[in-house]
Amino acid sequence: MKKIKICASVLLSVMALSALTACAGGNGTSGSQDTQATQATSAEATVNTDATEASNAETAASSGETVASEVTEASNEATENSEETERTTEPSKMEALSGDDQTYANTFITNFAEQNFFMFSEAGRFEAYNAKIEDVLSFVYYHIKINAYKEFENDKKGECSYVTVSYEKAASVVGKYMSYMLKEEDCKALPAPPDKLDNFSFGPFYEDGKIWFVTGDGDTFRNIGIVDCIEYNADGTATLYFTIYNIDFDVFESLDDAGLKKYYSLSPAQAESDKSLTKRGTGIANVSLGQSGKYFLNTYEAKV
């Protein structure tokens, strides 16, 4: 963004200087021509004056071409810079984060980025105020699986194996991270867990006050989210612009909880230069702000 502004300033200066030079040259020639016109009465003087004006017009045209060329070059450079950041526009009130604010924002976003939340969704955008309950409960499932697997209970129904979580626990997870109220009556509208593998579905299902999911193993969740900047909006919400990174597998396998948490405190510059991280994509999230400064997700987009 700074580079684009500098280019724009240089461009304006060049255009202004070119305009001033053209004006100064034109006035000097015009004054000389007026003197010649007063002193000379021959047709030859008139011809000379016409020739001088033609020369001046050619010079002005050449100057215009130079300015146009510089405008094109500056525009191309601005486009290239925009492509490098993968964002064509930037908000006008962006602020950098630091310290505990950076760590909190990174940790919040990582809760979504680590599970590839909406990175491959056909919808392309999650909206808490218009969300499908299946998407919300899918977030709950992966959040618990990654961060607190022991809170699952194992259940079996017929030939199918499940993990379950109480409605109360699911509602607690949703209320901690989203501007969405999980209602039990909506959960009750979900189908009951089948006892056969026919028409296999991952879930979620509902029965006996619990949310049911078909369990699966073998996944690794190595994504982290680093918030590049924040914009405070007039409606009281904030917009987070973030980058998603993938931690190197061997490094990830060697990390304990304390080592993993160190990644959550990285600044954008530190994350970009960390050789154990590979950039996967970028995203934008809009959040409501609680009185204590906590974030509650309103919308979320992520692209790889």
Side-chain angles (χ1 to χ4, degrees), residues 25-85:
N27 289 338
T29 302
S30 177
S32 176
Q33 290 171 355
D34 289 344
T35 301
Q36 291 173 0
T38 302
Q39 295 175 348
T41 57
S42 64
E44 181 179 355
T46 302
V47 172
N48 288 338
T49 300
D50 292 341
T52 302
E53 291 174 347
S55 176
N56 290 339
E58 183 177 352
T59 300
S62 175
S63 176
E65 291 174 357
T66 300
V67 172
S69 175
E70 291 168 346
V71 170
T72 300
E73 292 175 1
S75 178
N76 289 339
E77 185 175 0
T79 300
E80 291 172 358
N81 289 338
S82 178
E83 290 174 351
E84 289 174 0
T85 59

Side-chain angles (χ1 to χ4, degrees), residues 83-104:
E83 290 174 351
E84 289 174 0
T85 59
E86 298 184 2
R87 300 185 182 110
T88 57
T89 58
E90 292 182 330
S92 58
K93 297 180 181 179
M94 286 195 302
E95 298 181 16
L97 293 169
S98 61
D100 291 342
D101 291 336
Q102 180 78 63
T103 300
Y104 174 73

Side-chain angles (χ1 to χ4, degrees), residues 121-141:
S121 170
E122 292 183 3
R125 175 182 170 91
F126 174 83
E127 298 175 344
Y129 45 81
N130 192 33
K132 295 180 179 179
I133 190 172
E134 291 84 358
D135 292 333
V136 173
L137 291 176
S138 178
F139 168 80
V140 172
Y141 166 77

